[in-house]
Amino acid sequence: MAIAEKLAEFRKIADNPKTQLEHYKSKGMKAVGVMPYFAPEELVFAAGMFPAGMWGSNTKSISRAKEYCASFYCSLVQLDLEMLLDGTMDGLDAVITPTCCDTLRPNSQNIKVAMKNKMKVIFLAHPQNRFPECGVKYTESCYKKIRAELDEVSGHKTTDEEIQNAIKVYNRSRAARREFVKLAGAHPEAVSAVMRSGVLKASYFMLKDEYADKLEALNAELKALPASDWKGVRIVTSGIICDNPTLLKILDDNKCAIVADDVAQETRSFRCDAPEDDADPIHALAIQFRNQDYDILLYDKFSSQNRRGEYVAKMCKDNHADGLILFMQQFCDPEEMEYPYLKKALDAAGIPHIRLGIDHQMRDFGQAQTAIQAFADVLD
Amino acid sequence: MNDKEKAEQAPVSAEAAPVKKKKTQSPGVLALQKVVNDVYQAARDAKKEGKLVGWSSSKFPCEIAETFDLNVVYPENQAAGIAAHHDDTRLCTIAENEGYDADICSYARINLAYAMGNETTNEGRRMPMPDFVLCCNNICNCMTKWYENIARIHNIPLIMVDIPYSNYPEVDDDFVAYVRGQFDIAIKQLEELTGKKFDEEKFKRVCGYANRTANAWLKVCDYLQYKPSPMSGFDLFNHMADVVTARGKKETAEAFELLASELEENLKTGKSTLPFPEQHRIMMEGIPPWPHLRELFKPLKEHGLNVTAVVYAPAFAFRFNDVEGMARSYAVAPNSVCLEKGVDWRSQLCKDNKVDGALVHYNRACKAWSGYMPEMQRRWQNELGIPVVGYDGDQADSRNFNAAQYETRVQALVEAMEEADRKKESGK
Ligand code: SF4
């Protein structure tokens, strides 16, 4: 199959999460919604259930969620709640609600209340101080509880081997995504920003073994392409999420290739693998969480340094990016809080950037269009 | 010029808003004010003498720093003071110009602007720049990144105690072990920083004072149960500063005990610190918008509403005798508890303090707090059968409050309470 066809298939999956959910349900599988961030999805897979990623929606509007949320909450969380309330996610047997930010935290309670009679709501509050022994132990404690709750949902006791296998599958799918990000950056003529996003987003709506197979096949074809002589602009994207095709098309129209990303829905979510040689797979997952780094949502124990800002700046340099576009999710205080120091690091490294406010409910991209066009002109 | 140099220059570029002449205060209230002023003064003196000064989040266990004799000041309290002094917009704008978005908690914005070297017009709340920071994020996640930012601005150590959010009314042993483990690490870090050993005996003494303060604080709060009340519950918003900044000090316990004795006396003589007759009793939910205390109070006075319930009463009642107990105790903060416990606290308070209605602040600064308020509001309405109304505001950014909206909402609450009274009357 040609590259374009393969890309289109991923794009179709990314655009039809509900069809995917129905597809797995029709095979008799149970499904578990997984909200951001850092939930040990491996445990859902190990339990033989379908983990459905929940990152809001670009087509829905917030209406029922208003009963629970004030207007100053990010659209991601409000739309996740909306989809739970309006029946879109009725196929779910459970949902995992991590609480990494101050919006997710109270919303874990709203979901608990609102979904009481519909599905099991599995709570997760990671420890932020994840480095010392007590932190690793506490992560294990949280994950053990999740494992037990998932066992209740699936109706069978997950074995350590099943989790070890899931870790291998997930590591493989993460490695494939890392490789794809590199290849897409090296071949922007073959992989547009819209398609790149489709490929990465599809991972949230497929079983990861099927996904890894499919992606490895695509990667093999991309690898076989002759070197690209891209004449356009090279950018790094940053932010929580930038998966709106209309918005991404503006990048394509302006010949902006995404050569790397620091986006939560994309690279931030697959940067870190879990050890495969650990006899205790729960410990392995706790170690994976301990090793998560350079993230706006996580405590940095070297807090007096500007590690994250410098890491992102280095990512731009290493990938020969001309500039960075920060897609700032509206009302996302963790990302906003890190912006001044990201800016410092970018300025110090001489990397131009723009910051674009975005929201899932955005339908008019006029301003973004003007800003991106101007930015691309400057960089060109 | 780097941030640190900027910080040391600390220019003041705006005039303070005119401060209204204070009314005469009772000895208890004056003693409480002195305790807080002394905390700030002691930190300024310590800095001059070349001693270490720390900045701490309000619910970091102050008992630890107190045991090490460290001078610590509290950015949240300072930000409230700055906002009440109407210096909030200036500092918020400075932070915004540095790239901190206007959606970020206004306490954080004010404090980060301050940390970058912008002095406040509220002279009594001036803080020396920190040599270390103590961060406990039991109230919100925002605290973690806020304190990391301070640590970066000043290139200083951050001592972190992470207390994850709880989904159940009780915390389990694994949770306590995690928090306990971090206390041990924090103590070690402070031993290294100060070159002193942690003195267990002294710690017990400090816990003794903190427990005594907690008891006296609760005793003061409980006077709001009397009908009519010998005090204006609005006063608690001022006294909170003492439980935030000086829980572990003997003077704080004594000042609250003195205030309690005055309230006891009021009770006997039928007096009250409420400057108008009490017609209705309400719960005021949330941190008030500090820049607008006068506007907040005005319609309450007009309609004879006494605030007889604020959730800070149970929220600061930390009581324990050892490090383990401290770990359990600090797991319970207003924003760290699950919905059910949050509702319980307030429902009990409303019942005990005989509340006729509730006024909820939808506080734009605090996502963690406001995030489940609509559901809480529904529950009070159903469980307690009291009218509840909400208003929009911000604890420390005066731009996010609309006095006209607030007055209309208070009016609506009053009408609903009167209606409920009439129904009760006709039912008799
Ligand atoms: S991190 Fe930001 S975008 Fe994500 S849920 Fe929290 S507030 Fe929303």
Side-chain angles (χ1 to χ4, degrees):
Chain A
M1 207 192 298
I3 290 175
E5 274 171 61
K6 285 204 167 79
L7 290 171
E9 277 186 16
F10 278 112
R11 186 69 251 177
K12 192 167 164 209
I13 292 170
D15 291 335
N16 293 285
K18 194 149 195 234
T19 316
Q20 288 299 109
L21 179 57
E22 281 159 6
H23 162 71
Y24 289 111
K25 290 293 283 190
S26 71
K27 289 176 148 183
M29 289 185 91
K30 292 203 167 156
V32 178
V34 183
M35 285 179 63
Y37 302 86
F38 304 116
E41 209 187 286
E42 286 85 342
L43 296 177
V44 180
F45 183 91
M49 299 190 283
F50 166 57
M54 293 176 68
W55 290 80
S57 155
N58 289 319
T59 51
K60 292 201 171 282
S61 312
I62 298 164
S63 125
R64 292 166 213 234
K66 285 186 189 152
E67 239 184 85
Y68 292 91
C69 299
S71 58
F72 48 91
Y73 287 81
C74 76
S75 57
L76 193 163
V77 164
Q78 292 208 60
L79 284 160
D80 273 1
L81 180 56
E82 185 73 29
M83 290 191 293
L84 288 165
L85 291 168
D86 75 3
T88 308
M89 306 308 282
D90 272 1
L92 296 182
D93 298 279
V95 57
I96 303 180
T97 62
T99 49
C100 300
C101 72
D102 291 338
T103 300
L104 288 165
R105 194 165 150 143
N107 270 290
S108 68
Q109 304 302 291
N110 290 332
I111 293 174
K112 174 167 82 176
V113 170
M115 291 297 106
K116 197 170 70 206
N117 302 318
K118 254 191 179 173
M119 63 185 74
K120 189 168 180 72
V121 179
I122 301 176
F123 173 85
L124 170 59
H126 286 102
Q128 280 283 2
N129 211 343
R130 58 204 185 282
F131 316 101
E133 193 46 36
C134 63
V136 174
K137 277 229 160 66
Y138 191 63
T139 309
E140 287 180 42
S141 163
C142 296
Y143 287 3
K144 278 182 200 154
K145 286 191 191 109
I146 294 191
R147 178 184 186 173
E149 292 192 79
L150 288 169
D151 281 352
E152 273 176 44
V153 179
S154 73
H156 104 278
K157 263 192 132 17
T158 315
T159 64
D160 282 358
E161 292 70 48
E162 283 167 329
I163 302 174
Q164 262 143 358
N165 174 51
I167 287 175
K168 284 192 188 118
V169 169
Y170 271 69
N171 282 349
R172 206 184 117 214
S173 98
R174 283 186 280 258
R177 277 176 282 175
R178 291 193 292 264
E179 166 144 63
F180 169 74
V181 165
K182 275 200 198 120
L183 290 166
H187 296 287
E189 76 291 351
V191 187
S192 66
V194 173
M195 289 303 179
R196 179 187 182 278
S197 161
V199 171
L200 296 175
K201 192 174 169 182
S203 70
Y204 291 101
F205 312 127
M206 286 177 80
L207 283 176
K208 291 291 189 295
D209 47 359
E210 292 172 12
Y211 176 77
D213 290 344
K214 206 173 168 70
L215 186 53
E216 282 166 0
L218 171 65
N219 285 345
E221 293 203 37
L222 289 173
K223 243 187 264 175
L225 287 174
S228 156
D229 66 338
W230 179 252
K231 299 274 186 316
V233 180
R234 300 167 61 85
I235 58 152
V236 166
T237 48
S238 180
I240 293 292
I241 185 168
C242 52
D243 68 345
N244 192 313
T246 317
L247 181 61
L248 291 165
K249 189 163 176 299
I250 300 174
L251 294 181
D252 290 330
D253 292 346
N254 287 284
K255 296 259 165 296
C256 292
I258 302 175
V259 291
D261 77 82
D262 163 55
V263 170
Q265 196 199 23
E266 300 178 353
T267 294
R268 284 186 207 164
S269 75
F270 49 76
R271 219 152 31 198
C272 197
D273 287 337
E276 295 183 11
D277 54 0
D278 198 320
D280 175 359
I282 295 292
H283 182 255
L285 291 171
I287 294 299
Q288 178 200 24
F289 180 63
R290 184 194 71 187
N291 293 345
Q292 298 285 3
D293 205 353
Y294 310 114
D295 199 289
I296 54 131
L297 283 155
L298 299 177
Y299 165 56
D300 183 348
K301 68 174 166 174
F302 304 104
S303 44
S304 59
Q305 304 165 31
N306 186 14
R307 292 174 66 249
R308 190 190 97 84
E310 284 162 11
Y311 174 85
V312 177
K314 184 169 180 300
M315 182 194 289
C316 296
K317 286 263 178 226
D318 291 350
N319 288 286
H320 310 291
D322 302 309
L324 176 140
I325 301 182
L326 172 60
F327 292 94
M328 182 66 88
Q329 177 77 16
Q330 225 197 328
F331 300 121
C332 176
D333 47 312
E335 189 86 52
E336 290 164 353
M337 202 72 170
E338 286 298 277
Y339 173 65
Y341 273 90
L342 173 63
K343 180 176 183 307
K344 273 200 175 99
L346 292 172
D347 290 351
I351 299 155
H353 78 281
I354 48 167
R355 167 185 156 148
L356 291 178
I358 59 157
D359 182 282
H360 287 79
Q361 296 198 99
M362 228 163 128
R363 301 290 180 259
D364 174 6
F365 293 93
Q367 258 186 352
Q369 161 100 36
T370 315
I372 292 172
Q373 201 166 5
F375 190 54
D377 285 349
V378 171
L379 298 183
D380 204 358
Chain B
M1 186 160 55
N2 66 27
D3 291 332
K4 190 142 189 168
E5 286 161 350
K6 258 198 250 167
E8 265 139 30
Q9 292 213 348
V12 187
S13 56
E15 282 302 307
V19 180
K20 258 186 71 177
K21 253 196 138 185
K22 294 243 167 69
K23 56 175 184 186
T24 43
Q25 304 284 18
S26 77
V29 171
L30 290 173
L32 285 166
Q33 284 171 355
K34 181 172 181 319
V35 166
V36 178
N37 290 337
D38 286 354
V39 167
Y40 283 89
Q41 191 55 49
R44 290 190 290 260
D45 293 345
K47 191 75 177 186
K48 272 195 211 121
E49 291 162 22
K51 291 188 193 152
L52 296 174
V53 171
W55 287 7
S56 170
S57 59
S58 66
K59 290 187 193 70
F60 189 96
C62 61
E63 294 79 3
I64 298 180
E66 190 72 32
T67 303
F68 281 105
D69 275 327
L70 281 164
N71 286 95
V72 170
V73 280
Y74 297 85
E76 290 155 79
N77 175 260
Q78 187 208 30
I82 287 174
H85 201 78
H86 306 292
D87 195 17
D88 54 301
T89 310
R90 187 179 66 90
L91 288 170
C92 283
T93 311
I94 292 174
E96 287 154 27
N97 291 341
E98 287 294 322
Y100 294 99
D101 199 281
D103 290 333
I104 294 172
C105 161
S106 42
Y107 278 5
R109 270 180 287 146
I110 288 175
N111 177 251
L112 288 166
Y114 193 83
M116 286 184 279
N118 302 284
E119 190 50 275
T120 174
T121 55
N122 185 344
E123 291 180 17
R125 290 293 172 269
R126 291 184 175 175
M127 310 193 303
M129 289 301 152
D131 301 298
F132 62 95
V133 272
L134 304 174
C135 177
C136 180
N137 60 2
N138 46 5
I139 32 182
C140 61
N141 291 303
C142 166
M143 199 67 81
T144 312
K145 289 292 157 189
W146 169 4
Y147 275 66
E148 281 183 24
N149 270 273
I150 307 173
R152 274 183 226 145
I153 293 171
H154 289 279
N155 191 18
I156 52 172
L158 181 157
I159 292 158
M160 175 76 180
V161 172
D162 165 53
I163 302 200
Y165 184 64
S166 288
N167 192 37
Y168 300 102
E170 303 305 327
V171 292
D172 64 19
D173 291 345
D174 289 356
F175 188 104
V176 176
Y178 170 51
V179 177
R180 166 81 219 245
Q182 294 181 84
F183 280 161
D184 292 341
I185 295 168
I187 289 170
K188 222 194 223 129
Q189 287 172 306
L190 286 171
E191 284 183 338
E192 278 161 22
L193 193 73
T194 58
K196 281 190 198 166
K197 276 249 51 74
F198 184 67
D199 178 345
E200 295 276 354
E201 283 309 308
K202 175 136 198 231
F203 176 68
K204 286 215 171 83
R205 255 195 330 271
V206 171
C207 287
Y209 295 139
N211 291 348
R212 204 174 133 192
T213 300
N215 289 335
W217 160 252
L218 280 179
K219 189 165 177 201
V220 164
C221 294
D222 283 351
Y223 279 99
L224 289 171
Q225 295 179 0
Y226 291 98
K227 196 173 175 177
S229 160
M231 80 184 289
S232 161
F234 215 76
D235 296 350
L236 290 184
F237 291 131
N238 295 325
H239 306 332
M240 242 177 81
D242 292 85
V243 275
V244 168
T245 65
R247 288 192 295 281
K249 292 186 197 295
K250 188 164 150 235
E251 298 75 18
T252 320
E254 288 170 352
F256 274 120
E257 285 159 2
L258 180 59
L259 179 62
S261 68
E262 290 168 10
L263 294 173
E264 187 61 38
E265 190 56 31
N266 277 1
L267 203 60
K268 283 189 198 134
T269 55
K271 282 204 268 174
S272 174
T273 62
L274 187 71
F276 53 82
E278 178 182 292
Q279 280 166 14
H280 278 114
R281 301 160 64 88
I282 61 164
M283 171 167 74
M284 217 163 182
E285 171 60 40
I287 304 174
W290 297 109
H292 299 284
L293 289 178
R294 218 177 302 159
E295 287 100 317
L296 285 184
F297 199 60
K298 191 173 142 252
L300 303 185
K301 187 171 172 187
E302 267 165 31
H303 297 290
L305 309 186
N306 191 11
V307 177
T308 60
V310 292
V311 75
Y312 297 107
F316 278 101
F318 298 115
R319 281 176 291 191
F320 47 84
N321 294 309
D322 52 23
V323 179
E324 177 96 6
M326 183 161 76
R328 272 183 201 278
S329 193
Y330 277 91
V332 185
N335 289 342
S336 75
V337 299
C338 64
L339 177 77
E340 293 78 6
K341 189 156 187 145
V343 171
D344 273 1
W345 270 358
R346 281 125 170 143
S347 298
Q348 195 55 47
L349 207 58
C350 286
K351 284 182 203 148
D352 291 345
N353 295 11
K354 303 165 194 74
V355 151
D356 313 309
L359 195 54
V360 178
H361 177 200
Y362 282 88
N363 180 359
R364 211 182 165 102
C366 191
K367 295 194 171 75
W369 193 301
S370 302
Y372 48 31
M373 270 309 143
E375 177 61 18
M376 285 224 194
Q377 188 169 335
R378 282 191 283 275
R379 292 195 179 202
W380 300 325
Q381 249 149 353
N382 294 340
E383 285 174 25
L384 303 169
I386 56 168
V388 187
V389 300
Y391 67 96
D392 300 316
D394 190 305
Q395 63 201 30
D397 185 339
S398 53
R399 295 167 295 183
N400 293 330
F401 175 82
N402 178 332
Q405 185 217 43
Y406 171 75
E407 280 181 34
T408 318
R409 301 289 164 90
V410 173
Q411 179 74 39
L413 180 65
V414 171
E415 280 162 21
M417 289 190 296
E418 282 170 355
E419 175 66 26
D421 282 351
R422 272 194 296 278
K423 274 195 188 144
K424 242 188 258 164
E425 275 302 307
S426 60
K428 263 185 193 165

